[in-house]
Amino acid sequence: AQEWLAPFVIFTARFGGKGESSLSRQNLKSVLKQVFCLVSGAGVTTEKRGGAFGKGRPIGLGIQAEQVDALRAEAQVWMPQKRAPEDLVGRTVGGERIVKQPDRGPFDTSNGWLLNHPLMKIRLYCEHLDELKEMGHEATMRRLTGDGAWQAAGGDGAAR
């Protein structure tokens, strides 16, 4: 069992949105469905193509940002978004160069919710854990919540 999943869910719900804001219930549900498939090694499937992305390659805690980005690039080749994420353009995966607007499908019509966003949430959480190690819990939570909000909550993260 992956004991990091519960803290991941809590962190992603609270800070996984744009600009480290909370993630909507629907977006959280969408992300978690895919993350669970990736973490279990079952892989992510879609009706648009055969096979499962990441099948037999479970993602574990401790994956580095560059490894997540390599998976995102692989996902862009496997089921391309109509517009590739800027940071992936120019990468090569399996001899295929990622371009801004791929000319072949089938395409990920979910605007990245199939694989890109779930993988980015894993990356964000791993970066959060790295920051905790480097800066400490108090400093990290102050940065995420703003000094006043963290102090008003009692500084220990407990719900009040």
Side-chain angles (χ1 to χ4, degrees), residues 97-147:
R97 187 172 169 83
I98 296 175
V99 296
K100 187 174 191 125
Q101 291 185 290
D103 57 2
R104 61 147 191 91
F107 290 104
D108 171 9
T109 55
S110 71
N111 293 320
W113 290 101
L114 180 68
L115 286 162
N116 189 61
H117 294 311
L119 286 166
M120 283 300 294
K121 302 310 177 200
I122 292 170
R123 177 182 169 168
L124 183 66
Y125 183 65
C126 290
E127 288 172 346
H128 166 69
L129 294 180
D130 290 344
E131 181 182 0
L132 284 174
K133 285 180 199 163
E134 184 180 324
M135 304 295 291
H137 190 261
E138 289 292 320
T140 299
M141 294 312 294
R142 278 197 185 97
R143 185 190 65 73
L144 284 170
T145 63
D147 286 340

Side-chain angles (χ1 to χ4, degrees), residues 52-79:
F53 179 85
K55 184 175 183 173
R57 299 181 294 157
I59 293 176
L61 189 59
I63 188 169
Q64 299 297 307
E66 182 52 42
Q67 292 170 300
V68 173
D69 288 344
L71 286 171
R72 289 175 54 234
E74 187 182 331
Q76 178 64 23
V77 169
W78 187 76
M79 180 61 63

